[in-house]
Amino acid sequence: MSYVSPPDFVGKMIEAGETKALMATRDTLIRAFMAGAVLALAAAFAVSITVQTGNPLLGAVLFPVGFCLLYLMGFDLVTGVFTLVPLALLDKRRGVTVRAMFRNWGLVFLGNLGGALLVALLMAIVFTYGFSVDPNAVGQQLGEIGHSRTVGYAEHGAAGMLTLFIRGVLCNWMVSTGVVAAMMSTSVSGKVIAMWMPIMLFFYMGFEHSVVNMFLFPSGLMLGGDFSIGDYLIWNEIPTIVGNIVGGVTFVGLTLFATHARTAAPRTVVPDVPAAVAIALETNGARS
């Protein structure tokens, strides 16, 4: 059978977290770099589809191709390690410490950023013929996305920051569900189908993914978007990262760990008391 039961795939989650926490620096950076690059290309692909067809749903339906490819090639997104590595720490796996967890998170973040920035530069060159002409329609849309999802939040003040944070939470709830869903099957087709649904949902709903944003906003800046690096960091990337951590750890990692890896003791079933015994007990109680 290709289906993996919840207790078994939660065990795989813990083992994956342990492996990632103890991985060599070189391998961690390479895998993270490639994950950031592949996801950035998928984001460029989805935005291109949306602009050229006028149908954002079609862009969202096809965006998960990048996520599926990077997962199947064993590359790492920081949103995934936000969820998996803490489980190995909670399970007290040997060598997995708080320091090892933050080391892994930091290295994967840097690798994702490097890959996304490279693709941002390459796509900016494509959209402007080497910065010799104004951006094409897709490039202009990237600039607008950067403006609306930084300055657009800032215009609402604290309410905008709260909305940004919640979108980050909801995003990694879905993205980490996609990571876990791939462990529910032993077949490639089963993994892809399971991953596709939550990733499509997050992209279409406009939730905030820290790695996708590492491509969208630097691209927007290169293509003339009306916002600054400070706007990007304060009014998108930093709150998005915090929201991604909360969403992945709370709604995916801890819930599955608590109920499948640390299952509570079953309730004690009290056997039915025969009617005659119950009547006798009541009678004796009345006499006393």
Side-chain angles (χ1 to χ4, degrees), residues 223-247:
L223 296 167
D226 188 19
F227 64 101
S228 67
I229 295 176
D231 291 330
Y232 160 57
L233 293 175
I234 296 172
W235 285 100
N236 193 284
E237 191 64 35
I238 294 174
T240 294
I241 290 171
V242 177
N244 287 171
I245 293 172
V246 172

Side-chain angles (χ1 to χ4, degrees), residues 158-181:
M161 184 64 74
L162 176 62
T163 301
L164 171 57
F165 170 75
I166 295 299
R167 285 185 173 180
V169 171
L170 293 171
C171 174
N172 210 25
W173 188 348
M174 289 296 97
V175 172
S176 291
T177 297
V179 171
V180 173

Side-chain angles (χ1 to χ4, degrees), residues 12-245:
K12 290 179 179 293
M13 292 170 64
I14 297 169
E15 291 172 3
E18 178 184 13
T19 299
K20 295 177 191 305
L22 302 179
M23 190 180 298
T25 299
R26 186 201 68 163
D27 294 329
T28 302
L29 287 172
I30 291 173
R31 296 181 191 191
F33 181 91
M34 292 306 301
V38 171
L39 198 68
L41 283 167
F45 173 57
V47 173
S48 297
I49 292 171
T50 299
V51 171
Q52 293 170 6
T53 66
N55 187 345
L57 178 58
L58 184 58
V61 167
L62 295 176
F63 169 74
V65 65
F67 183 87
C68 294
L69 286 173
L70 71 88
Y71 181 89
L72 292 173
M73 288 187 286
F75 300 150
D76 288 326
L77 293 172
V78 73
T79 44
V81 298
F82 282 161
T83 300
L84 298 176
V85 177
L87 301 188
L89 181 65
L90 288 172
D91 202 54
K92 299 180 180 179
R93 293 298 176 100
R94 185 175 180 180
V96 182
T97 62
V98 173
R99 181 177 179 179
M101 180 181 72
F102 282 113
R103 169 188 170 277
N104 173 261
W105 286 6
L107 290 174
V108 175
F109 177 88
L110 289 175
N112 288 168
L113 180 62
L117 287 176
L118 174 63
V119 173
L121 175 60
L122 296 178
M123 294 310 300
I125 292 172
V126 169
F127 294 145
T128 62
Y129 283 88
F131 300 102
S132 64
V133 299
D134 291 335
N136 62 11
V138 177
Q140 292 173 18
Q141 180 61 26
L142 286 171
E144 177 54 32
I145 289 173
H147 178 269
S148 64
R149 288 166 63 173
T150 53
V151 177
Y153 287 124
E155 290 174 349
H156 295 279
M161 184 64 74
L162 176 62
T163 301
L164 171 57
F165 170 75
I166 295 299
R167 285 185 173 180
V169 171
L170 293 171
C171 174
N172 210 25
W173 188 348
M174 289 296 97
V175 172
S176 291
T177 297
V179 171
V180 173
M183 301 180 185
M184 297 176 185
S185 175
T186 57
S187 69
V188 173
S189 59
K191 289 176 180 293
V192 169
I193 293 170
M195 285 187 281
W196 207 280
M197 294 180 285
I199 303 306
M200 177 179 64
L201 188 156
F202 109 74
F203 195 85
Y204 184 73
M205 294 294 289
F207 296 155
E208 299 288 352
H209 189 277
S210 53
V211 182
V212 172
N213 292 351
M214 291 175 189
F215 162 74
L216 292 176
F217 295 91
S219 283
L221 287 169
M222 294 178 196
L223 296 167
D226 188 19
F227 64 101
S228 67
I229 295 176
D231 291 330
Y232 160 57
L233 293 175
I234 296 172
W235 285 100
N236 193 284
E237 191 64 35
I238 294 174
T240 294
I241 290 171
V242 177
N244 287 171
I245 293 172

